């Protein structure tokens, strides 16, 4: 049996969906994010279609969305998720640090954009900044 305070702690965690077609990248993010006391990876998607489907069923507060994925890319997946679930926070992700990519994610409805070359701390700061807003809604 879980203690009442454990249940309260769990509900404070920011639930995250990771969408990236590279398994090793997802595993790395999972390891880093699940080690945070205020975050948990609720699910993983390997393409945009799977990200859309998992958002519908899991209802995460935050989606970390890679740009280049098979079937449906990150921009189109972001558009569809924001259309169906406008309160879901989407953080765009790419290995490329181009202003056009950041702008594309913003136009698709993403709240933020980070590069894979950035630090884990900067990604976690963005997740916390926007994820807490998602919990308030």
């Amino acid at each position: 049996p879980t203690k009442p305070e454990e249940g309260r702690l769990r509900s404070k965690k920011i639930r995250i969906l990771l969408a990236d077609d590279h398994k090793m990248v997802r595993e790395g993010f999972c390891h880093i994010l699940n080690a945070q006391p205020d975050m948990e990876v609720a699910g993983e998607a390997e393409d945009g279609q799977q990200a859309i489907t998992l958002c519908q069923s899991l209802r995460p507060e935050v989606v970390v969305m890679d740009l280049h994925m098979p079937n449906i890319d990150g921009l189109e997946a972001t558009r569809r998720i924001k259309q169906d679930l406008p309160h879901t926070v989407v953080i765009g992700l790419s290995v490329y640090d181009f202003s056009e990519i950041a702008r594309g994610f913003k136009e698709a409805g993403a709240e933020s954009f980070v590069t894979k070359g950035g630090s884990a701390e900067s990604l976690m700061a963005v997740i916390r900044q926007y994820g807490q807003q998602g919990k308030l809604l």
Side-chain angles (χ1 to χ4, degrees):
T2 60
K3 298 180 193 110
E5 62 269 15
E6 285 177 14
R8 268 201 311 279
L9 214 110
R10 194 171 301 119
S11 69
K12 285 193 178 121
K13 288 191 177 192
I14 300 167
R15 297 177 67 249
I16 303 161
L17 174 69
L18 292 175
D20 194 299
D21 56 328
H22 294 100
K23 185 173 173 48
M24 226 185 312
V25 171
R26 288 195 316 272
E27 285 176 354
F29 280 131
C30 273
H31 180 74
I32 292 164
L33 298 175
N34 281 329
Q36 303 306 305
D38 59 340
M39 296 181 192
E40 70 178 345
V41 176
E44 297 177 47
E46 55 190 44
D47 65 38
Q49 183 58 61
Q50 199 177 28
I52 294 164
T53 304
L54 285 173
C55 271
Q56 294 289 347
S57 60
L58 298 174
R59 302 290 170 123
E61 279 93 32
V62 175
V63 180
V64 177
M65 180 77 71
D66 187 29
L67 174 63
H68 296 291
M69 290 187 292
N71 302 323
I72 296 176
D73 73 14
L75 295 179
E76 182 58 27
T78 298
R79 265 186 221 99
R80 294 189 195 180
I81 288 165
K82 294 301 280 190
Q83 192 173 0
D84 296 342
L85 302 163
H87 297 306
T88 303
V89 171
V90 178
I91 299 169
L93 183 69
S94 176
V95 289
Y96 303 107
D97 187 5
F98 298 135
S99 58
E100 303 85 62
I101 296 173
R103 192 167 39 253
F105 268 113
K106 287 272 187 204
E107 287 168 3
E111 277 72 12
S112 190
F113 170 75
V114 295
T115 67
K116 291 182 183 179
S119 70
E121 286 74 24
S122 63
L123 173 63
M124 290 184 292
V126 172
I127 290 172
R128 285 188 179 103
Q129 177 188 349
Y130 290 104
Q132 292 307 330
Q133 290 175 8
K135 294 220 86 43
L136 299 174
L137 295 169

